[in-house]
Amino acid sequence: YYSFGSSAMADRLERDMLTGRPFGGVAVLISEKLRKMTSMVCCEERYIIIRIGSTAIINVYLPCSGTDNRLSIIEDTLHDIEEKVKSLPFQSVIVGGDLNIDLSSNKHDAVKTVVLHFVNSLLLQRVDILFDVRCPTFHHETLNVCSQIDYFLTSKPANVQEFETLSPDSNFSDHSPIMCVLYIPKDAGQFSRENVNRKLANITNKEYVTQLR
């Protein structure tokens, strides 16, 4: 594997002395088998966009409740992602990561409204709903609370072959890893069953693959 990533550590150290844990930063591991068909589009503190063949894969980490200027950060982050995706000729888009919002909640929430607008603008669908696998992905044992805040979103449901919320024996995160298996064609002109099978890629939640967040 090789990696793309960004960290919130540098920005935090530039502003002040480090105290506590800095939040932010994302990372993606890519199989060496996909190196020739993979390129970096951009790498920011809260998201990474890479291109594998004609597919955009976006890893995003949105701020949690209580973060200063949370709504503004989310609006800016999702607007930037949307602009970049729409400016490039991707055939399909998949977004994965910790959105820090329960999209199934019935409560009115300005953050949820912004996220759903982003989802609708890029014509994305929730993979957990497509596979009818809706369960908590965040667990806080001390407070005895749990919620579903980690998601995969796709613009091409037919390209998603499997989806699962995993329960590994050893997990040092308070998030459960989520996994989906994708068909990633090298380009639109080569989308045949033979070529697609050769480009089968496993794309998993960042905590599970790298635990670098």
Side-chain angles (χ1 to χ4, degrees):
Y1 292 90
Y2 66 102
S3 65
F4 297 110
S6 65
S7 172
M9 187 69 74
D11 180 65
R12 183 67 181 84
L13 291 174
E14 287 176 359
R15 289 188 282 111
D16 200 356
M17 181 181 296
L18 177 64
T19 57
R21 174 189 171 192
F23 289 86
V26 285
V28 176
L29 289 180
I30 305 296
S31 171
E32 283 287 348
K33 296 178 181 179
L34 299 175
R35 182 183 284 272
K36 291 184 178 180
M37 57 188 291
T38 301
S39 61
M40 166 70 72
V41 176
C42 66
C43 183
E44 303 292 345
E45 179 181 327
R46 290 197 171 272
Y47 68 92
I48 297 174
I49 303 177
I50 61 173
R51 179 174 186 153
I52 301 181
S54 58
T55 300
I57 297 179
I58 303 166
N59 185 2
V60 60
Y61 173 45
L62 298 182
C64 62
S65 177
T67 301
D68 291 341
N69 302 314
R70 181 191 184 203
L71 184 59
S72 295
I73 293 172
I74 291 174
E75 288 176 331
D76 291 344
T77 299
L78 297 183
H79 178 266
D80 288 349
I81 294 173
E82 183 179 341
E83 289 295 303
K84 288 181 172 66
V85 169
K86 289 183 175 180
S87 69
L88 296 170
F90 296 118
Q91 297 297 316
S92 63
V93 177
I94 184 150
V95 179
D98 180 358
L99 304 186
N100 264 312
I101 186 69
D102 186 346
L103 297 180
S104 297
S105 171
N106 293 324
K107 296 180 181 179
H108 174 72
D109 189 299
V111 169
K112 185 178 74 171
T113 299
V114 171
V115 173
L116 291 178
H117 175 77
F118 166 80
V119 171
N120 293 331
S121 294
L122 292 182
L123 302 178
L124 301 174
Q125 297 184 49
R126 285 171 51 181
V127 176
D128 60 303
I129 291 179
L130 293 173
F131 283 79
D132 195 23
V133 182
R134 284 174 281 181
C135 58
T137 60
F138 172 78
H139 309 267
H140 195 301
E141 293 184 2
T142 303
L143 298 178
N144 194 30
V145 296
C146 59
S147 58
Q148 183 181 10
I149 58 176
D150 303 273
Y151 298 92
F152 279 111
L153 310 166
T154 180
S155 66
K156 287 286 184 69
N159 288 4
V160 183
Q161 302 303 301
E162 298 177 25
F163 173 78
E164 186 178 358
T165 300
L166 304 176
S167 299
D169 293 334
S170 179
N171 183 11
F172 297 103
S173 173
D174 47 14
H175 293 252
S176 296
I178 57 176
M179 180 193 76
C180 71
V181 177
L182 306 175
Y183 281 148
I184 301 183
K186 190 170 184 179
D187 58 50
Q190 293 178 299
F191 192 81
S192 67
R193 177 59 59 184
E194 178 183 359
N195 287 322
V196 158
N197 284 338
R198 286 203 296 263
K199 300 302 179 183
L200 183 64
N202 292 305
I203 310 300
T204 65
N205 177 274
K206 58 184 178 298
E207 282 91 5
Y208 180 62
V209 176
T210 66
Q211 297 194 0
L212 293 178
R213 182 175 66 84

